[in-house]
Amino acid sequence: MTVADHLRTLLDTPVDSITDLGASHEWTLHRAILGDRTVFVKTSTAPTTVFAAEANGLRWLADRANRPPELLPEVLAADDRMIVLPWLDEVGATPAAAERLGRELAALHASSPGHYGAPWQGWIAELPLDNTLSDGPWSRWYAERRLAPYLPRAATHLGPDGVRLLEQVIDRIDVLAGPPEPPARIHGDLWSGNILWTADRAMLIDPAAHGGHRETDLAMLALFGAPHLDRIRAAYNETHPLAEGWRTRIPLHQLHPLLVHVALFGASYRAQTLTAATTALAA
């Protein structure tokens, strides 16, 4: 079945045209025109639970009281080979949109799901995420579900000394994690590439959503840089003040995505990962 045929069946609507946009990880990306609307389509050649996780995450992040309704795109359809979202026209980030994102991200985090993890199998890129539900503490959940599972796959690139360094972080996680925080609804993979800047606001896409620590999303924004990051942080902190010492914990929260990058892309991320681990231990 072609992408157009699959899309036509899934939405029960005529498909006027499809434009291929290349690939991301193991999926192909497309822009489709359906009469008077345009949609974004991501597809897989083999059945996968990745799209269910993405759809669940977007819906779950939006399923809270007093939510900013435009922060997350509506899921138009999803099955085991395709997910369909509204097409978003991108423009450059503005200071005003960045400040709005900071406020709305703070509002998102202020809504606690009551547990760490999520009631579905998670994914980050093509790697599985263990979303086993837990009442906490977050430190143990993070060590057992977000750090330890990626060490075996990253070990070849980290080397024995690097693995031991990460194991020290895991051993000291309760001390390094800072003051207790209630679970927050977090995006879970909030690097700048998962923020689309539209005419007046930011939209969040491709979540690895779960109940986690709100500092994780802010640390991820800082990992590869985000437009107007200082404005995002300032607006966030005015809306939902961060706990003392949050800046010193940034490297700890960055260790999970860095380990994922080592597992996916190899030794080119080794030095950055070990620097983050060393800095986390020093804090």
Side-chain angles (χ1 to χ4, degrees), residues 19 45 50 146-147 156 190 194 221 238 254 274:
T19 303
T45 56
V50 165
R146 291 296 183 266
L147 297 182
T156 300
L190 196 57
N194 284 341
L221 280 174
E238 289 173 4
Q254 291 176 340
L274 299 189

Side-chain angles (χ1 to χ4, degrees), residues 7-112:
L7 181 60
R8 188 179 299 111
T9 300
L10 194 59
L11 291 181
D12 191 25
T13 188
V15 177
D16 295 337
S17 67
I18 287 193
T19 303
D20 293 337
L21 303 176
S24 175
H25 298 287
E26 297 179 350
W27 357 113
T28 59
L29 313 178
H30 313 269
R31 181 177 184 264
I33 297 177
L34 316 175
D36 61 353
R37 63 173 172 163
T38 305
V39 299
F40 172 78
V41 183
K42 184 159 52 175
T43 67
S44 171
T45 56
T48 178
T49 61
V50 165
F51 301 142
E54 182 177 347
N56 286 337
L58 288 169
R59 290 166 175 153
W60 180 80
L61 288 170
D63 184 19
R64 64 193 191 284
N66 301 317
R67 70 182 185 270
E70 298 89 4
L71 183 61
L72 301 150
E74 178 187 2
V75 179
L76 301 176
D79 65 9
D80 63 359
R81 291 177 183 265
M82 178 178 286
I83 186 168
V84 187
L85 306 173
W87 180 264
L88 302 173
D89 289 318
E90 293 186 75
V91 300
T94 65
E99 291 172 4
R100 184 173 183 177
L101 172 58
R103 293 190 298 270
E104 293 184 346
L105 187 62
L108 171 64
H109 290 168
S111 174
S112 175

